[in-house]
Amino acid sequence: MTPHEYCQDKAAKSGSSFYYSFMFLPPERRQAITALYAFCREVDDVVDECQDAQIARTKLDWWRNEVVRVHSGEPTHPVTLALKDVVGRFNLPLEQLIEIIDGMEMDLMQSRYLDFKGLQLYCYRVASVVGLLAAEIFGYQDRQTLKYAHDLGMAFQLTNIIRDVGEDARRGRIYLPIDELQRFKVPASQIMEGRHDDNFRELMAFQAARARKYYDQALDELPAVDRKNQRPGLVMAAIYRTLLDEIERDGFLVLDRRTSLTPMRKLWIAGSTWVRA
């Protein structure tokens, strides 16, 4: 298996909506975004699958060194070998790859956020930076497109947080800001115990409205000249907004289940959005 085949296999097995967003890209760009996605999955898996925080930090430090080795031309992992082929071609700053690792490491240092301002840094590192790198791969002419990429990344991460509230709680993490829990009278213990009520639904409706605001803001910021190149992001936005709508229609029952779209539905949304964009 070549490095790029390894990345393709990693992306395909994940079942992520991201896979459907870049399946229509030309081979060279699809190969690059798949390598970036595989990198994100590898470092995210370190935090999610490693029970010992110190071992997880050691592994993340290894990945930081591996990113440095991409620059020197001597990486050893299939994912970084694949990245070596594309970082120069698509102007991907290694500092941003390291910032993604820094974002993943935040999960080892804190499991609560006092307010949305604190959560924004986390979202920026684990999602907006990925959006900025993806924008480089897809190509753009107007730098305004980078604002679109930043805000779209925020929207995606906020949607992930809404979808995964219960799953994250079972890992001991609550990403919903503490001051907002207090405002809607939802104690952290209620989330950890998986108890839905009207207060919780109002809290989640507030979170969904914020995510939609970021989607709308991002789409308004995308220059017409770059709309065609940035179609993969538009596909992702269509899939994720549909997911958010489904979660809301279900009454935000996210504490004891994980709402998802079927592969066929994702494929239909991806194809129809690609044609329209």
Side-chain angles (χ1 to χ4, degrees):
M1 185 180 289
T2 69
H4 287 293
E5 287 170 344
Y6 176 94
C7 294
Q8 175 66 26
D9 186 64
K10 185 86 175 176
K13 286 181 177 177
S14 73
S16 169
S17 299
F18 283 90
Y19 179 72
Y20 295 86
S21 72
F22 46 73
M23 61 192 305
F24 301 110
L25 282 168
E28 187 179 66
R29 296 185 190 276
R30 185 171 67 246
Q31 196 176 68
I33 194 65
T34 302
L36 174 61
Y37 176 78
F39 170 78
C40 295
R41 283 259 44 92
E42 291 284 353
V43 294
D44 188 42
D45 288 348
V46 168
V47 175
D48 284 346
E49 297 176 3
C50 190
Q51 301 300 314
D52 187 306
Q54 188 53 52
I55 293 175
R57 287 190 183 93
T58 300
K59 289 185 175 182
L60 290 178
D61 283 341
W62 183 89
W63 276 104
R64 287 189 182 91
N65 291 330
E66 191 69 0
V67 168
V68 173
R69 286 193 285 269
V70 170
H71 181 72
S72 67
E74 299 175 351
T76 59
H77 193 279
V79 167
T80 42
L81 285 167
L83 282 173
K84 185 183 75 168
D85 289 344
V86 301
V87 291
R89 192 184 319 156
F90 292 101
N91 188 33
L92 307 183
L94 299 183
E95 294 81 4
Q96 289 187 332
L97 295 174
I98 290 175
E99 192 154 22
I100 293 170
I101 299 174
D102 293 342
M104 303 301 180
E105 190 170 30
M106 289 177 71
D107 280 332
L108 303 177
M109 297 184 289
Q110 65 184 105
S111 57
R112 303 285 194 279
Y113 291 87
L114 289 175
D115 51 30
F116 182 63
K117 183 178 180 180
L119 181 63
Q120 277 181 301
L121 174 61
Y122 174 76
C123 293
Y124 170 75
R125 286 177 168 172
V126 301
S128 290
V129 171
V130 179
L132 295 172
L133 289 166
E136 296 288 347
I137 292 171
F138 302 149
Y140 63 90
Q141 298 179 47
D142 190 329
R143 290 189 62 81
Q144 174 77 12
T145 295
L146 296 179
K147 292 184 179 179
Y148 146 85
H150 172 281
D151 287 345
L152 195 60
M154 287 290 298
F156 291 157
Q157 188 60 27
L158 293 174
T159 304
N160 282 338
I161 287 171
I162 292 168
R163 179 194 63 194
D164 298 339
V165 171
E167 186 177 310
D168 289 331
R170 288 186 286 277
R171 290 189 172 120
R173 303 175 196 151
I174 299 178
Y175 293 101
L176 305 175
I178 291 172
D179 65 342
E180 293 171 8
L181 294 177
Q182 294 171 341
R183 186 192 318 170
F184 288 92
K185 297 180 173 57
V186 178
S189 59
Q190 176 180 338
I191 294 176
M192 302 301 284
E193 294 166 9
R195 291 185 283 112
H196 296 93
D197 65 8
D198 288 342
N199 286 351
F200 177 76
R201 281 185 283 275
E202 289 177 13
L203 168 66
M204 298 312 295
F206 177 81
Q207 306 299 318
R210 173 188 284 146
R212 290 193 177 97
K213 180 180 177 181
Y214 272 100
Y215 283 115
D216 291 342
Q217 189 170 299
L219 295 178
D220 286 344
E221 290 165 338
L222 179 59
V225 68
D226 288 331
R227 187 175 177 84
K228 184 175 180 180
N229 281 346
Q230 297 296 320
R231 281 184 295 185
L234 299 177
V235 167
M236 270 303 305
I239 292 174
Y240 259 55
R241 292 191 83 155
T242 301
L243 173 65
L244 189 58
D245 291 342
E246 286 292 318
I247 291 171
E248 185 161 32
R249 270 194 290 270
D250 287 344
F252 296 107
L253 298 176
V254 292
L255 293 175
D256 57 2
R257 68 199 68 181
R258 190 176 194 267
T259 302
S260 61
L261 306 179
T262 65
M264 186 59 68
R265 191 171 181 189
K266 290 178 185 176
L267 183 60
W268 184 86
I269 294 170
S272 58
T273 303
W274 189 274
V275 170
R276 290 196 311 269

